[in-house]
Amino acid sequence: MSELIQRQLGQYDSPIEDELEDAFTRMLSEGTQRMHRTWRGVLVTGFFGGTEVALGVLAYLSVLSASHQPLLAGLAFSIGFLALLLGRSELFTEGFLIPVVTVAAKRASLMQLIKLWGGTMFANLVGGWVIMWLIMTGFPELHAETVQSAAHFATAPFSARTLALAVLGGMVITLMTRMQHGTDSVPAKMAAAVAGAFLLAGLRLFHSILDSLLIFGALVGGRAPFGYLDWLGWFGYTVLGNVVGGLGFVTLLRLLRSKDRLQEERADAESS
């Protein structure tokens, strides 16, 4: 009865509320386009994502070096997320919501999802490494702060605490994506980017791409008390935690909330 009432009273003939239908339609439309990119499109968009996040890291390090206030520096890092939003580039962890919804609706394949994730992650890291090399070369006075900040992540042993920080990091970035696709308002999308940056960078949650760029900056500058193998070990469990947080605590619940609408979309895809 409640679903029938929603269909009768809502603007759309949909089993979910109008606001959720609008957000679902936006995600599916964008996700279908993103998932059908060529390899060139995936790599170039991911490369830009890495370079833009690296500029946010520059802002973070500059404010942290001057103020020694991580929360204030986290707000400065929002420049990176705002660039991602307005520049329409791609960050690996942004693929935990929209592309997964697209695959669940049978508008794209699992192999396309793997291509998007793998290509975007690789390009993020390459683009970020290049810009961090430029930053460390152009701002040698930031190197000591970079090493200190990076050591917080690169030297952290695998434990319940570090895994929890990685899970929270995945939740925050995916929640930011969900908030941005829940509205058509550009100022609201920008506010979500600032809020996400404050939590992610300000609280020093573990994020596989953002924190890798800090580690790269420390490594290219020399004299870091860790190496690329240390980064790789940290990166492995951080990616796992990000995936659990983003998929398990945000995307899965979103899919359950829109289950009936997804079933309709899957039926349409199968019939066509």
Side-chain angles (χ1 to χ4, degrees):
M1 179 63 70
S2 60
E3 180 180 319
L4 177 62
I5 293 174
Q6 284 180 347
R7 290 180 182 271
Q8 292 175 336
L9 298 181
Q11 181 181 352
Y12 308 105
D13 183 21
S14 173
I16 56 178
E17 295 92 331
D18 289 346
E19 292 82 0
L20 291 178
E21 175 64 28
D22 288 335
F24 183 87
T25 302
R26 278 193 293 268
M27 287 192 293
L28 201 58
S29 175
E30 179 182 332
T32 303
Q33 296 179 56
R34 286 166 61 180
M35 294 288 281
H36 288 82
R37 287 175 182 154
T38 63
W39 269 109
R40 180 181 63 182
V42 169
L43 294 175
V44 171
T45 307
F47 185 89
F48 278 128
T51 62
E52 289 162 1
V53 169
L55 294 179
V57 173
L58 172 60
Y60 173 86
L61 291 170
S62 300
V63 173
L64 187 61
S65 178
S67 68
H68 304 292
Q69 296 293 327
L71 294 178
L72 187 60
L75 290 176
F77 173 75
S78 62
I79 292 172
F81 281 169
L82 291 171
L84 283 173
L85 171 67
L86 301 178
R88 308 299 297 175
S89 50
E90 184 96 34
L91 194 64
F92 162 62
T93 46
E94 288 184 300
F96 291 163
L97 178 60
I98 299 169
V100 173
V101 169
T102 306
V103 172
K106 290 194 172 182
R107 296 301 178 180
S109 68
L110 182 60
M111 288 305 299
Q112 287 174 309
L113 178 62
I114 293 173
K115 180 181 79 171
L116 179 70
W117 279 354
T120 301
M121 178 193 293
F122 173 78
N124 284 166
L125 294 174
V126 172
W129 190 97
V130 170
I131 300 304
M132 291 308 299
W133 181 85
L134 291 174
I135 290 172
M136 291 297 101
T137 302
F139 297 92
E141 65 274 14
L142 294 178
H143 184 244
E145 189 66 58
T146 304
V147 171
Q148 182 177 352
S149 298
H152 171 74
F153 305 102
T155 62
F158 178 75
S159 65
R161 175 180 178 272
T162 55
L163 184 60
L165 291 174
V167 171
L168 289 171
M171 288 179 62
V172 166
I173 191 72
T174 310
L175 178 60
M176 182 187 77
T177 304
R178 178 183 172 185
M179 290 192 294
Q180 289 175 339
H181 286 82
T183 178
D184 285 323
S185 169
V186 174
K189 292 175 185 285
M190 296 173 68
V194 174
F198 176 80
L199 290 173
L200 196 63
L203 297 179
R204 299 196 295 177
L205 302 179
F206 281 28
H207 185 269
S208 52
I209 303 300
L210 161 60
D211 303 329
S212 288
L213 302 194
L214 280 172
I215 296 170
F216 290 165
L219 289 170
V220 299
R223 299 188 303 277
F226 46 81
Y228 282 100
L229 286 179
D230 297 305
W231 162 74
L232 191 60
W234 171 88
F235 185 76
Y237 75 76
T238 300
V239 167
L240 174 63
N242 288 169
V243 170
V244 170
L247 294 183
F249 288 96
V250 180
T251 301
L252 179 59
L253 295 178
R254 181 72 177 191
L255 293 176
L256 288 174
R257 182 64 183 85
S258 305
K259 178 183 176 182
D260 295 334
R261 183 66 179 84
L262 272 172
Q263 289 177 336
E264 291 182 352
E265 200 65 38
R266 290 167 65 91
D268 289 343
E270 290 172 351
S271 64
S272 60

